[in-house]
Amino acid sequence: MADKFSKKWIVILIVLVVSGVLAYKYWKSTQSALPAGIVSGNGRIEAKLADASAKEPLRVEEILVDEGDLVKPGQVLVRLDTVTLEAELAKNEAAVAGAREEFAAANAAIAEASAAIAEANAGVATANSAIEKQQSEIRLAQTEADRQSRLLAENATSQATFDVRQTALETSKATLKSIQAQADAARARASAARARAATAQSRADAARQQIEVAQAQVKVTESRIKDATLISSVTGRVLYRLVEPGEVLGPGGKALTLVDLSDVYMEIFLPSDQAAALKIGAPARITVDYEPNKAAAASVSFVSPEAQFTPKQVETKSEREKLMFRVKLQIPSELVMHYLERIKTGMRGVGYVKVSPNAKFPQWLEKGLLNPPTNHSSGTPN
């Protein structure tokens, strides 16, 4: 009799436990049930990757960050050895200085030749003026000699007077030839000075080109030296440290791989009927498996125009055999920056989106919702 009584209570207890478990599961299912107009898909937190790479083969001198470190735009990550580049820069700078000296010497030669040209031209001008004066004197001497010749023919003057006039005429002509020779010499000097000036100008032009080429080489080398300091272009986290000091990176060789935390998102996959109802900018919510009771605000930033099989890690094999549309849920950058220390890519979770503008997210998604901070908010994230 006692055994029957004990068995009866054991059965009752088992029934109560099973009923409680079923009731709890039913309650949980009602709590997590999605209202009409809200759909969901599995995914994981993702972000774009950025590499800190060398542009040319150089030896790694120093690495300033480790895997897991947060980095900011402009932060120095890696320094590469620039000894050879600095020697090349010194050589290029010396070439600039030499070309400038040559340019200065050529300009000095131009100035000297220009002065010689001016002096020679002044000599030509003086000679031309003297030639005109001498030609006038020759005409006067010729007139006087002709007059004395007529007078001598008429025995109206003496031979001595005629000879004086004739000698004066010949002297004037000889003086003219001397002045003309001086003018020709001045022209020759001016021509030689112009030739020297042209040569010096060619030197100056060549030196100017050498200066420009050398300065361009200096800028290129300075740019190469600058590129030897690898800096972060993003706000992110160091995902992989791929080299160590002393190793040589080839052209395009990666020293670090960064996770760009300014562009954090989750990709989910939805069937065609649900994807067709989505609009870019539609509100979304994201939860992660390790903390399902908190959701982050997001929005639809992309809906694939082509269907595809879902990735292996997203759903079961039966689901992967279906054609789905990839949907990107973008987390606002302000929210990411506010919770930067807690963002971890690769975390699995669930994305929820509105396919109907009048739909409302369930209360369990809105409770504890993480929104981008306002300008008046302060303090640390919870």
Side-chain angles (χ1 to χ4, degrees):
M1 184 72 179
D3 291 339
K4 290 182 180 180
F5 183 78
S6 298
K7 290 179 179 179
K8 179 180 178 181
W9 278 106
I10 291 173
V11 171
I12 292 173
L13 181 62
I14 291 172
V15 170
L16 289 175
V17 170
V18 171
S19 300
V21 170
L22 292 176
Y24 177 76
K25 287 185 176 180
Y26 174 76
W27 178 79
K28 288 293 291 184
S29 65
T30 58
Q31 290 296 306
S32 59
L34 294 177
I38 304 294
V39 297
S40 67
N42 292 348
R44 59 182 180 180
I45 301 298
E46 299 183 55
K48 292 182 179 179
L49 300 181
D51 296 318
S53 306
K55 289 190 175 181
E56 58 183 291
L58 292 172
R59 188 179 302 277
V60 178
E61 184 177 272
E62 185 181 12
I63 302 178
L64 304 175
V65 292
D66 290 317
E67 291 180 352
D69 287 352
L70 284 172
V71 297
K72 297 180 180 180
Q75 181 177 338
V76 176
L77 305 176
V78 181
R79 289 192 176 95
L80 305 178
D81 190 354
T82 58
V83 171
T84 55
L85 295 179
E86 288 169 358
E88 186 175 336
L89 177 61
K91 179 181 176 182
N92 294 336
E93 289 175 339
V96 172
R100 283 176 173 165
E101 289 179 0
E102 172 62 17
F103 184 68
N107 282 333
I110 291 173
E112 182 181 348
S114 297
I117 291 172
E119 183 180 354
N121 286 337
V124 171
T126 301
N128 286 336
S129 177
I131 287 171
E132 291 179 0
K133 180 179 179 182
Q134 195 62 31
Q135 286 174 339
S136 177
E137 291 181 357
I138 289 173
R139 286 193 295 273
L140 179 60
Q142 185 68 55
T143 300
E144 186 63 25
D146 291 342
R147 189 174 70 82
Q148 290 297 325
S149 178
R150 289 193 301 272
L151 291 175
L152 182 61
E154 296 172 356
N155 293 321
T157 187
S158 64
Q159 182 67 40
T161 302
F162 172 75
D163 291 342
V164 169
R165 298 302 181 188
Q166 191 63 35
T167 300
L169 175 61
E170 295 300 329
T171 300
S172 295
K173 289 179 178 181
T175 302
L176 176 61
K177 288 181 180 181
S178 176
I179 296 173
Q180 287 175 333
Q182 293 173 4
D184 292 340
R187 291 189 188 93
R189 291 196 301 274
S191 179
R194 282 192 290 270
R196 293 197 303 275
T199 300
Q201 186 62 54
S202 297
R203 285 174 55 197
D205 293 340
R208 184 183 295 108
Q209 291 179 353
Q210 290 174 356
I211 290 172
E212 292 174 356
V213 170
Q215 286 177 332
Q217 291 174 340
V218 166
K219 289 182 179 179
V220 169
T221 307
E222 288 176 341
S223 177
R224 292 169 63 194
I225 291 174
K226 181 180 179 182
D227 290 339
T229 299
L230 307 185
I231 63 174
S232 173
S233 59
V234 300
T235 297
R237 192 180 297 277
V238 179
L239 182 62
Y240 301 119
R241 175 167 164 163
L242 304 172
V243 294
E244 295 298 329
E247 296 184 37
V248 176
L249 287 174
K254 300 176 183 178
L256 302 168
T257 296
L258 310 177
V259 177
D260 182 1
L261 295 180
S262 64
D263 187 5
V264 180
Y265 57 91
M266 174 181 282
E267 286 186 344
I268 62 174
F269 292 82
L270 299 177
S272 59
D273 57 333
Q274 295 177 357
L278 276 179
K279 293 183 179 180
I280 300 298
R285 300 289 184 265
I286 292 175
T287 63
V288 291
D289 292 349
Y290 85 93
E291 198 172 3
N293 295 326
K294 282 191 176 183
S299 62
V300 176
S301 62
F302 173 79
V303 178
S304 175
E306 296 181 351
Q308 65 184 84
F309 290 104
T310 57
K312 183 177 180 181
Q313 71 271 17
V314 172
E315 286 291 353
T316 63
K317 183 177 180 181
S318 61
E319 289 295 325
R320 294 199 303 274
E321 292 173 351
K322 299 177 182 179
L323 283 175
M324 309 283 273
F325 286 81
R326 180 166 58 94
V327 177
K328 184 176 180 181
L329 309 182
Q330 190 75 42
I331 303 176
S333 58
E334 299 88 352
L335 182 59
V336 173
M337 292 300 106
H338 193 62
Y339 291 92
L340 192 62
E341 294 285 347
R342 299 177 61 182
I343 297 293
K344 303 290 189 298
T345 57
M347 292 187 297
R348 297 181 182 275
V350 182
Y352 304 86
V353 293
K354 283 186 179 183
V355 293
S356 172
N358 296 323
K360 292 185 178 180
F361 289 109
Q363 183 61 31
W364 54 270
L365 273 179
E366 296 296 273
K367 184 179 179 181
L369 179 65
L370 304 179
N371 275 305
T374 63
N375 293 334
H376 301 289
S377 67
S378 61
T380 57
N382 296 322

